[in-house]
């Protein structure tokens, strides 16, 4: 009996001990957490809360201004990455004595605030996001302080809300900054928690195919900010600035010629003259965009085509590969050797020996052109080579990238592209190409500061004698912006008596702001647009673009007086659409819905000019095309010998079907594409069939996948040509024109 009682007491004691141990363990863990976070506990939440707050303010502001689609997963990514960064910044702020820690926190908060403020203002001004690679252009950007002030005014609520953390910390921070001797265990716990947030966010991103692409395989400032937030984009951007951008997935060389899910019932995509369709009736597979009948004719109805040669140079790529050690250059040799060259055609040498005046038009859209207000430009748009489905992409570097495309036939996505071009070899630049056929008078003119975007470095290297404000054109009247007409008046004598000549103009009268108070050219021509049935914003835009019309009228008049008008070709394309117009004004001008307008491909539809007074009738080009196709088309028309495989676009008079690569505004889908069969939106992942085209749904998804890879591959190698000075490798020992 006593033994039984003893055993019961022992069991009770053991159970009590176990309970006490459990309670003590739980209490010890709570004490550990309490002890670990007892110092300045509020500060431990400061950075995560601050960053999440600023990200939400920023994204709500962008969403409200663009009406872009809302992605729930993006909010989750942003919160996870923001919390992780907040933990790591807290650790960084606790290493020194309290007085030093206070200033470290101040510095970090100010830096973070500036990053957000710069992005919100930069987007408001350029409809694009700031890239760290453009930091060297800071002096240039300050020239547009007026536009920056307007952008701040339009985003004043967001600008003020983003200042709240700085103000709050100024009031609260000195009492709550991390103190001396923050325990190592605090840092350890914060590091582990931050790592968990970071790894969780990364794992979720990797499970999302599209998000993974923009996080690991390619870089787009707009998509990175949209998916992961401003500070994660900043981290990726700075990393790639020093380590180089990721190059995307595997290369695709061509496309399976048997894979053509389309059939057509209507005429589209052909080159036509004023009375007949192009007799060939088919399109070759250039760059993997497919092949098929486009004009509805049968094989029996097609006349035997003339045998034309190809725009290609005899390049021994096998030898180049064999003697190269750089793996990247070897990859480039392999890619370009596989590209199909464009075939010459009846328009090869069509303008041979004529003069050329080539203009890049600042912020221009043909949507503003009417025969009454723009008679000269209207004539040129409609009586030359008429590009009925022409697009201007917004590559990501504003005017610099738009001009780079026109001058090189390549595309790039940073405003540094012109500066970067200064030391490269450019045999197929516009100027050097014409020098190769004996044009000794080759000028470039610009009615703004000559150093802007590094043109003083790039344009002479492209082959131009370059004159601009501060470098030969100092007699222009000072306005903002300056007069295009006055630029023409002061430059025509440089070339008009020295035929054959190439004269290149980069205009500026069409630059924002598009108000009568903020644009001197708009104010100058206000009376001429006063009776138009548009808002003042649209009227001001049209008024400043009238300078282009008067410039062209003057040039045509002087060329006619000199007896060389019919021996002179005009080529014109915009650098980008007028993104500085408010969305309501853009919708009004283009006739589009304001909702989601920046994601509407028709916003990037434009007109381009290839015109000569000697043309007896227009030539209509219906197939979708873009700025990357302009230079190869011009080279073929003037009979310039070049290798078409080494440019990103195609000669529009050839049988090769162009591929429009359309990079839209920041916050909207990038690297979309359009061809004669339809258009693909990378954001919605929807393919919209062109009119008269039907598709086999079973093979369409495979076709789209291959086309996406082709676009990615073209992007990679277009960037690499500049990054690696590729032409210097190809033509190290051979003539690029032979």
């Amino acid at each position: 009996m006593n033994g039984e009682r003893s055993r019961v007491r022992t069991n009770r004691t053991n159970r009590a001990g176990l309970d006490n141990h459990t309670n003590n363990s739980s209490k010890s863990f709570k004490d550990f957490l309490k002890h670990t976070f007892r110092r300045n506990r509020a500060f431990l939440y400061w950075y995560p809360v601050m960053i999440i707050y600023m990200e939400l303010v920023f994204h709500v502001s962008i969403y409200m201004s663009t009406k872009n689609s809302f992605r729930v997963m993006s909010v989750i990514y942003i919160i996870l990455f923001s919390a992780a960064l907040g933990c790591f910044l807290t650790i960084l702020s606790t290493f020194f004595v309290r007085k030093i820690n206070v200033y470290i926190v101040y510095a970090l908060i100010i830096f973070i605030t500036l990053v957000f403020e710069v992005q919100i203002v930069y987007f408001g001004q350029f409809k694009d996001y700031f890239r760290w690679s453009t930091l060297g252009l800071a002096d240039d950007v300050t020239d547009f302080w007026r536009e920056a002030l307007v952008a701040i005014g339009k985003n004043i609520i967001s600008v003020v809300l983003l200042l709240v953390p700085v103000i709050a910390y100024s009031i609260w921070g000195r009492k709550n900054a991390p103190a001396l001797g923050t325990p190592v265990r605090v840092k350890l716990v914060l590091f582990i928690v931050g790592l968990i947030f970071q790894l969780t966010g990364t794992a979720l991103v990797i499970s999302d195919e599209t998000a993974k692409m923009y996080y690991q395989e390619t870089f787009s400032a707009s998509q990175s900010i949209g998916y992961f937030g401003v500070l994660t984009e900043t981290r990726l951007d700075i990393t790639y600035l020093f380590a180089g951008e990721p190059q995307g997935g595997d290369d695709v060389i061509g496309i399976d010629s048997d894979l053509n899910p389309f059939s057509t019932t209507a005429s589209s995509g052909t080159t036509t003259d004023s009375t007949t369709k192009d007799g060939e009736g088919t399109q070759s597979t250039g760059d993997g965009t497919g092949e098929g009948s486009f004009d509805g004719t049968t094989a029996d109805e097609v006349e035997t085509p003339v045998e034309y040669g190809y725009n290609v140079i005899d390049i021994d790529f096998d030898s180049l590969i064999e003697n190269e050690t750089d793996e990247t250059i070897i990859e480039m040799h392999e890619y370009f050797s596989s590209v199909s060259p464009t075939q010459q055609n009846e328009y090869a040498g069509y303008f041979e020996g004529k003069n050329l005046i080539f203009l890049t038009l600042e912020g221009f859209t043909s949507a503003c052109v009417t025969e009454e207000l723009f008679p000269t430009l209207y004539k040129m748009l409609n009586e030359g080579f008429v590009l009925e489905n022409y697009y201007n992409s917004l590559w990501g570097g504003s005017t610099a990238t738009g001009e780079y495309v026109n001058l090189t036939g390549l595309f790039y996505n940073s405003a540094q592209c012109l500066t970067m071009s200064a030391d490269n070899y450019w045999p197929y630049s516009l100027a050097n190409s014409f020098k190769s056929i004996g044009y000794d008078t080759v000028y470039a003119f610009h009615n703004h500061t000559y150093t802007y975007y590094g043109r003083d470095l790039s344009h002479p290297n492209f082959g131009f004698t370059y004159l601009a404000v501060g470098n030969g054109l100092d007699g222009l009247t000072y306005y903002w912006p300056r007069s295009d007409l006055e630029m023409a008046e002061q430059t025509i004598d440089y070339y008009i008596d020295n035929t054959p000549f190439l004269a290149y103009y980069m205009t500026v009268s069409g630059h924002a702001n598009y108000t009568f108070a903020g644009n001197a050219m708009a104010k100058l021509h206000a009376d001429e647009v006063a009776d138009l049935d548009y808002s003042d914003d649209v009227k001001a835009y049209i008024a400043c673009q009238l300078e282009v019309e008067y410039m062209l009228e003057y040039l045509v008049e002087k060329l006619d007086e000199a007896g060389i008008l019919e021996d002179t070709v005009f080529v014109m394309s915009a650098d980008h659409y007028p993104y500085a117009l408010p969305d309501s004004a853009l919708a009004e001008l283009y006739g589009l819905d304001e909702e989601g307008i920046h994601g509407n491909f028709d916003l990037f539809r434009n007109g381009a000019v290839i015109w000569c007074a000697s043309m007896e009738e227009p030539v209509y080009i219906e197939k979708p095309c873009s700025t990357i196709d302009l230079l190869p088309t011009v080279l073929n028309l003037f009979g310039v010998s070049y290798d078409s495989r080494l440019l990103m676009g195609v000669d529009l008079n050839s049988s090769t079907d162009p591929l429009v690569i359309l990079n839209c505004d920041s916050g909207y889908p990038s690297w979309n594409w359009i061809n004669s069969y339809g258009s693909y939106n990378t954001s919605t992942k929807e393919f919209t069939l062109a009119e008269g085209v039907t598709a086999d749904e079973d093979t369409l998804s495979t076709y789209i996948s291959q086309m996406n890879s082709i676009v990615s591959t073209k992007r990679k190698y277009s960037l690499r040509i500049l990054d690696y000075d590729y032409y210097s490798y190809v033509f190290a020992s051979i003539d690029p024109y032979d």
Side-chain angles (χ1 to χ4, degrees):
M1 186 72 169
N2 290 335
E4 182 68 24
R5 288 174 180 171
S6 177
R7 285 194 297 274
V8 170
R9 284 196 297 270
T10 300
N11 289 337
R12 286 175 179 172
T13 301
N14 289 339
R15 284 197 297 271
L18 180 61
D19 291 340
N20 288 336
H21 177 74
T22 302
N23 291 334
N24 288 338
S25 297
S26 176
K27 184 177 180 181
S28 297
F29 182 69
K30 291 179 180 178
D31 288 342
F32 168 76
L33 291 177
K34 182 178 180 180
H35 180 69
T36 298
F37 293 104
R38 76 182 188 279
R39 298 170 182 266
N40 307 301
R41 279 177 286 179
F43 180 76
L44 298 175
Y45 313 119
W46 168 256
Y47 280 116
V49 172
M50 178 193 77
I51 295 172
I52 291 172
Y53 163 79
M54 297 181 82
E55 291 281 7
L56 292 177
V57 168
F58 180 89
H59 282 79
V60 168
S61 175
I62 296 298
Y63 174 77
M64 293 298 292
S65 67
T66 63
K67 303 297 189 295
N68 194 10
S69 58
F70 180 79
R71 292 187 291 251
V72 174
M73 284 307 300
S74 295
V75 176
I76 295 174
Y77 301 148
I78 290 169
I79 290 174
L80 289 171
F81 288 139
S82 297
L85 179 60
C87 291
F88 298 143
L89 291 180
T90 303
I91 297 172
L92 184 62
S93 301
T94 59
F95 275 105
F96 304 99
V97 298
R98 185 175 180 278
K99 182 179 293 186
I100 295 177
N101 289 338
V102 169
Y103 290 106
I104 289 176
V105 177
Y106 264 127
L108 289 172
I109 294 174
I110 290 172
F111 173 76
I112 291 170
T113 302
L114 284 175
V115 169
F116 278 93
E117 297 282 20
V118 166
Q119 291 290 18
I120 203 82
V121 173
Y122 198 90
F123 184 88
Q125 182 176 349
F126 295 108
K127 292 297 188 294
D128 195 4
Y129 290 121
F130 171 79
R131 291 286 307 275
W132 284 82
S133 62
T134 65
L135 195 60
L137 300 176
D139 290 341
D140 291 342
V141 174
T142 57
D143 286 353
F144 298 120
W145 58 269
R146 304 169 188 82
E147 289 83 350
L149 289 177
V150 171
I152 291 172
K154 290 180 178 178
N155 297 276
I156 190 64
I157 295 176
S158 301
V159 169
V160 172
L161 289 175
L162 290 171
L163 291 173
V164 168
V166 173
I167 298 170
Y169 188 75
S170 299
I171 299 171
W172 170 84
R174 286 188 175 276
K175 294 181 179 180
N176 296 277
L180 173 66
T182 302
V184 173
R185 59 178 171 272
V186 175
K187 298 182 179 69
L188 180 60
V189 171
L190 286 171
F191 179 78
I192 293 172
V193 172
L195 191 61
I196 291 172
F197 282 129
Q198 182 69 31
L199 293 177
T200 302
T202 303
L204 290 175
V205 167
I206 291 175
S207 67
D208 182 334
E209 180 181 350
T210 304
K212 176 185 176 184
M213 178 177 70
Y214 290 115
Y215 193 71
Q216 293 183 334
E217 298 173 4
T218 188
F219 182 72
S220 164
S222 61
Q223 296 297 332
S224 291
I225 286 178
Y227 272 102
F228 319 121
V230 172
L231 294 185
T232 299
E233 184 274 340
T234 300
R235 169 173 61 83
L236 295 173
D237 192 15
I238 294 175
T239 300
Y240 298 147
L241 178 63
F242 294 100
E245 292 187 18
Q247 298 294 338
D250 296 334
D251 297 346
V252 171
I253 310 302
I255 193 170
D256 182 358
S257 60
D258 295 328
L259 180 63
N260 186 351
F262 305 104
S263 59
T264 61
T265 58
S267 174
S268 65
T270 56
T271 302
T272 71
D273 59 26
S274 59
T275 56
T276 62
K277 295 288 183 184
D278 179 12
E280 293 186 30
T282 61
Q283 301 286 346
S284 67
T285 306
D287 277 328
T289 53
E291 62 181 10
S293 177
F294 286 83
D295 64 0
T297 61
T298 65
D300 292 337
E301 295 172 327
V302 178
E303 297 179 3
T304 303
V306 177
E307 290 294 329
Y308 293 105
Y310 290 84
N311 286 309
V312 66
I313 302 299
D314 186 14
I315 302 173
D316 188 351
F317 280 107
D318 291 336
S319 177
L320 289 173
I321 292 170
E322 182 179 350
N323 293 291
E324 183 56 60
T325 58
D326 188 308
E327 290 298 325
T328 299
I329 302 302
I330 291 174
E331 286 181 16
M332 297 180 75
H333 289 329
E334 291 172 342
Y335 169 73
F336 286 109
S337 66
S338 71
V339 175
S340 299
T342 58
Q343 193 170 20
Q344 294 173 352
N345 46 76
E346 62 181 304
Y347 294 106
Y350 186 72
F351 291 139
E352 187 171 355
K354 292 185 181 294
N355 310 303
L356 173 61
I357 296 179
F358 194 119
L359 299 92
T360 297
L361 305 179
E362 172 63 50
F364 175 80
T365 174
S366 58
C368 72
V369 176
T370 62
E371 190 171 8
E372 293 73 25
L373 278 177
F374 295 83
T376 307
L377 188 50
Y378 183 88
K379 179 183 181 70
M380 291 180 175
L381 282 167
N382 291 281
E383 296 184 9
F385 285 83
V386 183
L387 310 185
E388 298 186 316
N389 291 286
Y390 183 79
Y391 292 83
N392 272 126
S393 180
L394 191 68
W395 300 109
S398 190
T399 295
T401 49
E403 186 174 16
Y404 177 80
V405 172
N406 284 341
L407 296 180
T408 67
L410 308 172
F411 57 87
Y412 206 80
N413 61 354
S414 166
Q416 283 280 16
C417 59
L418 293 179
T419 301
M420 294 167 62
S421 304
D423 296 323
N424 285 17
Y425 176 50
W426 297 103
Y428 299 144
S429 68
L430 177 66
N432 284 329
S433 293
F434 275 76
K435 282 186 171 181
S436 75
I437 56 174
Y439 284 59
D440 296 324
T441 304
V442 180
Y443 281 96
F445 306 105
H446 182 40
N447 47 341
H448 188 49
T449 308
Y450 80 103
T451 57
Y452 202 87
Y453 284 132
R455 291 187 181 99
D456 58 317
L457 304 174
S458 62
H459 286 32
N461 193 45
F462 287 147
F464 291 111
T465 298
Y466 174 58
L467 302 176
V469 176
N471 182 40
L473 290 186
D474 298 327
L476 296 175
T477 306
Y478 177 75
Y479 302 103
W480 178 248
R482 290 180 175 87
S483 165
D484 294 337
L485 170 59
E486 190 176 1
M487 174 171 59
E489 291 171 342
Q490 293 200 15
T491 57
I492 193 169
D493 288 340
Y494 282 98
Y495 56 83
I496 194 168
D497 294 325
N498 299 287
T499 59
F501 61 75
L502 163 61
Y504 169 75
Y505 288 97
M506 176 72 232
T507 70
V508 80
S509 292
H511 202 286
N513 289 319
Y514 299 127
T515 64
F516 292 111
N519 186 300
M521 296 299 105
K523 183 178 180 179
L524 179 65
H525 302 301
D527 290 344
E528 292 146 85
V529 299
D531 295 333
L532 296 180
D533 189 20
Y534 285 117
S535 65
D536 283 348
D537 287 330
V538 176
K539 287 180 181 179
Y541 172 74
I542 296 173
C544 71
Q545 291 293 353
L546 279 171
E547 274 293 295
V548 172
E549 170 65 21
Y550 299 141
M551 176 186 187
L552 295 176
E553 284 183 4
Y554 174 80
L555 291 174
V556 167
E557 178 185 348
K558 291 300 180 182
L559 292 168
D560 196 22
E561 289 177 0
I564 58 172
L565 178 60
E566 293 198 349
D567 293 323
T568 303
V569 180
F570 284 82
V571 175
M572 283 172 271
S573 178
D575 54 351
H576 53 72
Y577 80 99
Y579 52 63
L581 276 172
D583 290 357
S584 58
L586 286 171
E588 184 183 3
L589 178 61
Y590 282 81
L592 302 174
D593 291 335
E594 183 178 351
E595 184 79 14
I597 191 170
H598 294 278
N600 189 329
F601 291 177
D602 283 341
L603 182 64
F604 305 90
R605 187 186 289 271
N606 210 329
V609 168
I610 305 176
W611 176 85
C612 182
S614 64
M615 295 181 66
E616 296 180 356
E617 55 189 11
V619 178
Y620 296 96
I621 298 177
E622 300 174 0
K623 49 195 175 187
C625 56
S626 66
T627 46
I628 61 174
D629 303 308
L630 198 56
L631 181 62
T633 302
V634 169
L635 296 184
N636 183 71
L637 286 168
F638 278 83
V640 178
S641 179
Y642 72 104
D643 197 310
S644 57
R645 296 172 295 179
L646 300 177
L647 298 178
M648 286 298 119
V650 301
D651 167 24
L652 294 175
N653 291 305
S654 73
S655 59
T656 302
D657 192 19
L659 174 62
V660 175
I661 300 176
L662 194 60
N663 199 41
C664 296
D665 286 353
S666 291
Y668 282 91
S670 58
W671 310 110
N672 312 282
W673 49 270
I674 305 170
N675 63 14
S676 294
Y677 298 117
S679 60
Y680 182 75
N681 186 306
T682 59
S683 179
T684 63
K685 296 181 173 57
E686 293 180 354
F687 184 84
T688 302
L689 292 169
E691 184 178 355
V693 177
T694 57
D696 175 12
E697 295 295 332
D698 293 336
T699 56
L700 182 59
S701 61
T702 302
Y703 176 86
I704 291 171
S705 178
Q706 288 188 333
M707 289 299 300
N708 284 336
S709 296
I710 289 170
V711 170
S712 178
T713 302
K714 288 175 76 70
R715 175 180 182 265
K716 176 166 72 172
Y717 289 113
S718 187
L719 269 60
R720 279 187 176 182
I721 287 176
L722 175 57
D723 291 339
Y724 290 87
D725 190 14
Y726 179 64
Y727 293 148
S728 68
Y729 288 86
V730 178
F731 300 114
S733 59
I734 63 173
D735 187 342
Y737 313 109
D738 187 6

